[in-house]
Amino acid sequence: MTNQNAELSADGGQVRASTLELFFDLVFVFTITQLTHVFTHHPSWQAFGQVALLFGVIWWMYSGYVWLTNEVAPNSSARRTWLLIGMFSFFVLALAIPDAFHGTGIAFGIGYVLVTSVHAALFVSGGGESARRAIKHIGPYNALAAALVLGGGFAHGWLQYACWGLGFAVQVISPYLADTGDFVVRASHFCERHGLVVIVAIGESIVAIGVGLAGVKITRN
C-alpha cells in the first residue's frame, strides 16, 4: 500500500489530515481570533454574548467541515478547489466578524451561506451513498440555520440577535431531529484535526505575544 493510499480508509474516507486541511485550520483559527475584536471594541456582557453567539454558529460549520473531510478525502483537484472556496468563504466571514453587529452583518451572512453551501455540495457530490443519505437528513437544518444567519445580517437590534440565536438553536437541536446514523466516524482523523487547531492557536498566540513585545526593552528592572 502506498503512503497516499494509507491515508485513506477502505471506503474512501480520510484517516490522516492532509496539508490542505492544516491550511484550513489556520484560516479557522484566524476566524476565531477575530472574535477578540468584538469584545475589545466594547467590553461588556453584551459583547460577551455576541462573541458566544458568533462562536457557536462558526464552530458548528467548522465541525461540519471536519466531518466532511472525514467522509470526502480532498484527493482530487475538484475537491481541493471546492475546499479552497469554502476556506475563502470562512476568510470573508472572519473579516466581517469585528463589526458583525454594527454594519458588516450582511457580509458575515453571505460568507456563512457560502460556507454552508460548499459543505453540502461536497458531501452530496463526493461522499459515498451513506454520506449522501446522512447529509440529506441534516442538510436542510444547516440550510435553515444559514438562512437565519443571512436574515440576521439584514436585521438590526433585537431582531438580529433573535435570528442568529434561532439559527444556533436549530444547529444544536438538529442532531436530535435528523437521522445521523449514516455518518462514519474515523476517530483518528477527528483527534488529529482538533489537535492541529490547538497547535495552530498556540502558535498564533506566541506570534501575537512576540509582536506585542517588539521594541520593549527587556531588563532586570
Side-chain angles (χ1 to χ4, degrees):
M1 180 180 290
T2 65
N3 290 336
Q4 182 178 6
N5 291 336
E7 295 179 354
L8 306 177
S9 67
D11 52 352
Q14 188 83 346
V15 175
R16 297 295 308 277
S18 64
T19 53
L20 184 58
E21 290 173 90
L22 176 59
F23 188 32
F24 192 101
D25 290 342
L26 177 62
V27 175
F28 171 71
V29 170
F30 170 71
T31 304
I32 296 302
T33 58
Q34 287 288 88
L35 291 172
T36 60
H37 296 291
V38 177
F39 189 81
T40 55
H41 284 179
H42 306 283
S44 63
W45 284 109
Q46 181 182 15
F48 179 80
Q50 292 173 350
V51 170
L53 189 56
L54 290 171
F55 177 77
V57 295
I58 292 169
W59 179 262
W60 176 266
M61 282 315 302
Y62 168 74
S63 298
Y65 273 81
V66 176
W67 283 83
L68 171 65
T69 52
N70 176 71
E71 293 274 6
V72 183
N75 56 358
S76 69
S77 297
R79 291 180 180 182
R80 286 191 288 268
T81 299
W82 280 109
L83 199 58
L84 284 169
I85 294 174
M87 199 183 308
F88 174 76
S89 303
F90 255 110
F91 187 68
V92 171
L93 181 152
L95 294 177
I97 284 176
D99 294 308
F101 286 89
H102 305 94
T104 58
I106 296 176
F108 182 88
I110 292 174
Y112 200 84
V113 168
L114 287 174
V115 166
T116 306
S117 300
V118 171
H119 174 262
L122 265 174
F123 248 120
V124 172
S125 64
E129 185 59 34
S130 64
R132 283 193 288 270
R133 286 197 304 268
I135 197 60
K136 286 179 180 178
H137 290 152
I138 203 168
Y141 294 101
N142 288 345
L144 175 59
L148 287 167
V149 171
L150 179 60
F154 287 92
H156 301 282
W158 68 268
L159 185 57
Q160 183 178 22
Y161 286 93
C163 286
W164 288 3
L166 186 57
F168 181 49
V170 168
Q171 293 170 338
V172 171
I173 66 173
S174 60
Y176 301 98
L177 301 177
D179 181 10
T180 57
D182 289 316
F183 284 115
V184 177
V185 177
R186 300 172 180 86
S188 60
H189 180 254
F190 280 84
C191 291
E192 187 173 8
R193 283 299 300 276
H194 289 91
L196 288 173
V197 167
V198 173
I199 292 172
V200 172
I202 293 174
E204 288 202 2
S205 299
I206 293 173
V207 171
I209 292 172
V211 171
L213 293 176
V216 177
K217 293 183 179 179
I218 300 177
T219 65
R220 284 184 287 184
N221 295 327

